[in-house]
Amino acid sequence: MPHKLVIAVDGPAASGKGTVARALAAHYGLAYLDTGLLYRAVGARAADAADPLCALAAANALETEWLDDPAIRSEDAARAASIVSAMREVRAVLLDRQRAFADQPGGAVLDGRDIGTVVAPGASAKLFVTASMEARAHRRANELGRDYIEVLADLGERDRRDAERAVAPLVRALDADLLDTTDLPIAVAVRRAIALVEARIRRTR
């Protein structure tokens, strides 16, 4: 394994990127950061997530303990995160925090939507984890106990905002390996992710 291993895992909501990223971190003994939690925390703590000044104030005040608040894992926090993540000033503040995490000794695993393109473009390995919209909606609906049609609509709107925002949109890095989890059990998806990272490591030795 390289002296420093940074793994970037990107993809849309409910694609399985978080599960894959956590498994990779455990496999390689690396620190792990779900960067989406940063935006969720900012969105949840902002007095008005749609107000750039409120969102920026929350980003500047962000404390690590906020990431442990169960409230930021709600659907309301997810929607707020999608809104504040489109704000250039908020992203600039959080970018420094993410890059510092990736730059720690030994490396790290980070998952999000712009890790391989913006946060860690020089990452040792990059994965873009995706799945069909229908599969993602079923997963999220089962996880939250919500109506499938409502979740499908929410995911479609979130995907649109993430892909169309002017700053750091959700796109697959040119050198990222694709992992489609639509029909894959978790264990199989994790094995494939590890194989892709190993292949990338071998190619860069």
Side-chain angles (χ1 to χ4, degrees), residues 67-175:
L67 306 185
D68 297 323
D69 183 355
I72 70 173
R73 297 185 180 275
S74 69
E75 281 299 285
D76 285 342
R79 281 188 286 272
S82 186
I83 293 170
V84 302
S85 67
M87 299 175 183
R88 187 179 302 275
E89 294 81 2
V90 170
R91 297 197 75 89
V93 170
L94 299 184
L95 179 59
D96 290 340
R97 184 184 290 255
Q98 294 170 73
R99 284 182 170 167
F101 190 91
D103 199 40
Q104 62 186 288
V109 179
L110 296 86
D111 82 57
R113 286 167 174 73
D114 65 340
I115 309 303
T117 54
V118 176
V119 176
S124 315
K126 300 177 186 179
L127 298 180
F128 191 86
V129 182
T130 189
S132 70
M133 178 70 79
E134 293 76 16
R136 292 162 51 214
H138 276 299
R139 292 171 187 172
R140 186 55 56 86
N142 290 336
E143 175 189 352
L144 300 175
R146 291 184 55 204
D147 178 73
Y148 166 76
I149 298 299
E150 290 181 358
V151 172
L152 187 67
D154 285 348
L155 285 178
E157 176 60 21
R158 188 171 181 186
D159 283 357
R160 184 194 63 77
R161 282 199 300 265
D162 289 342
E164 295 180 0
R165 65 188 180 216
V167 55
L170 170 63
V171 293
R172 176 185 171 187
L174 294 177
D175 55 347

Side-chain angles (χ1 to χ4, degrees), residues 7 9 16-17 19-24 27-28 125-129 177-181 184 186-201:
I7 303 175
V9 182
K17 68 180 182 296
T19 299
V20 166
R22 284 190 294 272
L24 288 170
H27 179 79
Y28 290 106
K126 300 177 186 179
L127 298 180
F128 191 86
V129 182
D177 292 305
L178 182 66
L179 177 60
D180 189 328
T181 67
L184 299 183
I186 291 174
V188 175
V190 168
R191 287 199 298 272
R192 290 194 183 177
I194 292 172
L196 289 170
V197 171
E198 287 294 320
R200 179 68 60 170
I201 291 172

Side-chain angles (χ1 to χ4, degrees), residues 18-39:
T19 299
V20 166
R22 284 190 294 272
L24 288 170
H27 179 79
Y28 290 106
L30 297 172
Y32 163 67
L33 176 64
D34 174 354
T35 64
L37 290 182
L38 301 177
Y39 292 97

Side-chain angles (χ1 to χ4, degrees), residues 52-74:
L53 291 179
C54 290
L56 182 59
N60 282 316
L62 180 63
E63 300 285 345
T64 303
E65 306 86 75
W66 294 7
L67 306 185
D68 297 323
D69 183 355
I72 70 173
R73 297 185 180 275
S74 69

